[in-house]
Amino acid sequence: MDEEKSAIAMTSRDRELLIPVAESAIDESSSKPSSSSSSSHHSGRETFYKVVRSWASKKFMTGCVILFPLAITFYVTWWFIRFVDGFFSPIYAHLGINIFGLGFVTSITFIFVVGVFMSSWLGASVLGLGEWFIKRMPFVRHIYNASKQISSAISSDQNSQAFKEVAIIRHPRIGEYAFGFITSAVVLQSYSGEEELCCVYVPTNHLYIGDIFLVHTKDVIRPNLSVREGIEIVVSGGMSMPQILSTINSEIVP
């Protein structure tokens, strides 16, 4: 009897020890799916936030890229209108006429009339007389000469001081090219004969600072670009360069 009682007591004690273990195993097995589901939910939420942030940043940058040139264009245009309008608007304000834009229209009309007048023989004579006085002034003549050379370079009139053509020359090494403008032609005389050279101006700082190269006529590559297009390419730092350039030269000497 004593042995049976001790055996029963041991089995009951073992059951009591096994029951918490089983319950803890059940608790662990039940907590694993909940923790895995919460971690998957958290990772999915982070992925969603990353996708939203990436989409929003891309759209914001697209808006900036589109609006930035428009804003700059409108700002410069507005500044130019106000600047030109300021020449004659004080006169109208003194007369009691306050109409915005009237000074701008008057300035544009005045510039057009000056252009028509200076194209005539009388206007050219008056301009020559004015330049004669300006060139006698010590400091003013340098400013006038520099500004006149720049304005004549970008002028549509192909006179002796303007850029003749857009040119591409091989510089500074083989396989590298420089973008410039043909300004004049030079005949180099030597014992072996005469050699025709082109004076090519290569801008290094927008348009008013650059280098001058004397290049053989056959070594000058002439692309199908106008002078205005060439100036736009230089001012934009090459960003307005067309993807494909074709040359006017029928044959290019390597």
Side-chain angles (χ1 to χ4, degrees):
M1 287 295 291
D2 294 335
E3 293 178 356
E4 291 179 358
K5 289 181 180 179
S6 62
I8 293 170
M10 290 176 65
T11 54
S12 61
R13 191 180 302 119
D14 293 337
R15 288 178 182 176
E16 290 178 356
L17 293 172
L18 290 174
I19 287 172
V21 174
E23 289 179 353
S24 62
I26 293 171
D27 293 338
E28 289 178 358
S29 62
S30 62
S31 63
K32 284 181 180 179
S34 61
S35 62
S36 61
S37 61
S38 62
S39 62
S40 62
H41 178 71
H42 182 68
S43 61
R45 186 167 54 186
E46 286 184 353
T47 304
F48 175 75
Y49 287 157
K50 288 181 180 179
V51 171
V52 171
R53 285 197 298 266
S54 176
W55 178 83
S57 62
K58 289 181 180 179
K59 298 304 178 183
F60 181 78
M61 290 303 299
T62 303
C64 291
V65 170
I66 294 173
L67 292 178
F68 180 75
L70 294 176
I72 294 296
T73 302
F74 281 111
Y75 177 79
V76 173
T77 304
W78 179 254
W79 173 84
F80 177 76
I81 291 174
R82 290 178 63 89
F83 176 76
V84 178
D85 184 75
F87 287 105
F88 288 94
S89 58
I91 300 175
Y92 290 114
H94 183 71
L95 297 175
I97 302 174
N98 295 320
I99 301 175
F100 179 76
L102 186 59
F104 176 78
V105 175
T106 306
S107 300
I108 297 298
T109 305
F110 176 75
I111 294 172
F112 176 77
V113 171
V114 169
V116 172
F117 176 72
M118 291 301 173
S119 300
S120 62
W121 176 83
L122 181 61
S125 302
V126 174
L127 179 62
L129 182 61
E131 288 183 344
W132 185 82
F133 282 108
I134 292 175
K135 290 180 179 179
R136 296 298 184 275
M137 300 179 182
F139 179 72
V140 178
R141 63 183 179 184
H142 299 290
I143 301 175
Y144 179 78
N145 290 332
S147 59
K148 185 179 179 181
Q149 289 176 1
I150 294 174
S151 62
S152 62
I154 63 177
S155 175
S156 58
D157 298 331
Q158 295 297 314
N159 51 33
S160 59
Q161 296 180 348
F163 293 156
K164 304 298 182 184
E165 295 179 79
V166 178
I168 298 176
I169 60 175
R170 291 178 174 87
H171 174 76
R173 294 184 296 270
I174 298 176
E176 296 184 5
Y177 299 88
F179 193 87
F181 302 92
I182 298 176
T183 57
S184 61
V186 180
V187 176
L188 180 63
Q189 295 180 348
S190 60
Y191 293 103
S192 59
E194 294 183 350
E195 187 177 4
E196 186 177 356
L197 305 176
C198 288
C199 184
V200 180
Y201 173 74
V202 178
T204 57
N205 186 1
H206 292 91
L207 285 176
Y208 48 87
I209 296 178
D211 298 325
I212 299 174
F213 298 94
L214 295 176
V215 186
H216 197 280
T217 306
K218 295 181 180 180
D219 296 334
V220 177
I221 303 174
R222 294 176 171 86
N224 59 338
L225 294 173
S226 63
V227 175
R228 289 187 179 274
E229 291 174 340
I231 293 173
E232 290 177 0
I233 292 172
V234 173
V235 173
S236 65
M239 290 186 291
S240 60
M241 177 77 74
Q243 295 182 353
I244 299 176
L245 281 178
S246 60
T247 59
I248 302 175
N249 308 51
S250 57
E251 182 180 358
I252 299 174
V253 178

